[in-house]
Amino acid sequence: EYEAFRKQAVENYKSFRQECNKKYVQFLREAWNSYEMSAPRPVPLDDKPVPPRPYADGEKADPVELTPVDVTPVVVLPQPEPVEPVKEVPSHDEKFFFVDFYGTQCGVRLPASANMILNNCTADVIADAWEQLCTTDRMDNAIHDCLEVRESHNLCDWAYLLFLDELSRKYCSDRNGATLLMTYLYCQSGYQIRVALDGPKLYMLYGSRHMIFNKKYFVIDGQDFYPFGDPSELLEACNAAFEGETPMSLHIDKEQILGTDLTESRTIRSDLYNDVGADVGVPRSLIEFYDCYPSSAIDGNPMTRWAMYANAPLAGKTKNLLYPALADAIGSCREEEAANKLLNLIQTGLVYEYDEKVWGHDRAFFAEESLYYPYCDCEDRSILFSRLVRDLLGLDVALIYYPGHLAAAVCFNDDVNGDAVIIDGRKFVICDPTYIGAPVGTQMPGLDSGNTRAIVLQR
């Protein structure tokens, strides 16, 4: 009786997923429309950047009144999940297919039937291929293994998508077959997709919870979908939704565990405090991954794009090199003195340069990138400073935007004097990593204080 119950439970589980895929296969045969590509949204242009400025002892800006500023909340939602839990199919003869993903060997059990050749791609060809994938029991093991890779390496949604692309391209001998495999695995993992055709070429379109800058997109049923790849301006897409689909997020709320090699060590030291500094390296694979990370905004608010970088945790190996030395230097200090030491480290230990001169365009940095690249600007310095204060002092930090400039502000437990803003009833004291040598509580002169905005970062 137990065995009969178990088999029935398995069949009930299978039937729901199969029913979802069965419906979707039918949509793949019928629900197609033409869509025209929309021009990419450029990263918003700020006013002319405010250059760095050395602080003269006793210099004061016009007083900053303790007035409320607009603040945008940042909410991190759970990653998408399959419509039902994906269970392993016990097997003793399956072998793992390994792929190198940013210096990390990742194994997935893929059946030979997943390596398909899709010549002369049409709606019916795609539907037949999808049906073949979803009726192969051992594809459940492939989905299971992919999700295990996502979990064991803390892959964010963007990293997971890139992993599936790398896996599929290495496994499949046919471009269209690789695209279909990536799309199927991504869809079955719970992510929102649309299948599209550009003549004989197959493309995947993915939905995003956030507006992505500098990427072309298609509007399908009022929602933005971004092509993975570079299709033509006009394509045919299946506009049907898969059961339980969820758009991807570009948040990084966990360390991306990629590779083991560190970059060459670099010495960063404060000019004012000789005991504040360290020799630091960062994971090389993480720098490579961040180089392809798209800039985005939450709810279309361009202010939030910096929070996407600032809220990402610092790599553990970098922490192990940097934090013990900094903790020793600030361990016996009061909050204000400790913040001053960290602030001066960023002000004087890093070299300022404009993004336009170095990169040819605006480019915000994750904290590790400011520790790696030879130059950084005001937003990069504020992001790194905010990370150090949150991790080492356990204090809340906000990014403060002025037209053409980004600084930080810290909510101290102690009573700290100086220029400040009030955010949700709490006092945040200005700390400007680009006002070279300026102490905590000193705003750079000449900024447009009447148009400040703030975003409180996650601790």
Side-chain angles (χ1 to χ4, degrees), residues 20-22 24-25 28 116 118 124-136 180 183-188 193 195 242:
C20 292
N21 277 299
K22 182 179 178 181
Y24 193 68
V25 166
L28 286 173
M116 292 179 287
L118 305 180
D124 282 336
V125 168
I126 296 169
D128 290 343
W130 193 281
E131 190 169 34
Q132 178 180 327
L133 289 174
C134 66
T135 55
T136 302
L180 184 73
T183 305
Y184 178 79
L185 292 171
Y186 196 62
C187 168
Q188 300 297 297
I193 59 95
V195 179
F242 194 86

Side-chain angles (χ1 to χ4, degrees), residues 283-296:
R284 190 175 302 278
S285 294
L286 193 60
I287 293 297
E288 294 173 2
F289 169 66
Y290 283 157
D291 192 46
C292 72
Y293 207 80
S295 179
S296 65

Side-chain angles (χ1 to χ4, degrees), residues 100-104 255-266 280-292 315-318 321 363 368-369 371-373:
D100 183 280
F101 181 66
Y102 287 105
T104 303
E255 177 188 353
Q256 305 298 285
I257 304 174
L258 301 172
T260 58
D261 294 340
L262 293 179
T263 60
E264 185 177 346
S265 182
R266 174 189 183 189
V280 63
V282 300
R284 190 175 302 278
S285 294
L286 193 60
I287 293 297
E288 294 173 2
F289 169 66
Y290 283 157
D291 192 46
C292 72
K317 289 188 175 182
T318 300
L321 293 171
R363 190 193 194 285
E368 291 90 346
E369 293 181 292
L371 294 171
Y372 170 71
Y373 290 113

Side-chain angles (χ1 to χ4, degrees), residues 45 68 127 130 132 251 256 280 320 348 434 440 451 453:
L45 293 177
W130 193 281
Q132 178 180 327
H251 285 297
Q256 305 298 285
V280 63
N320 293 339
T348 63
T434 310
V440 165
N451 289 305
R453 286 178 286 162

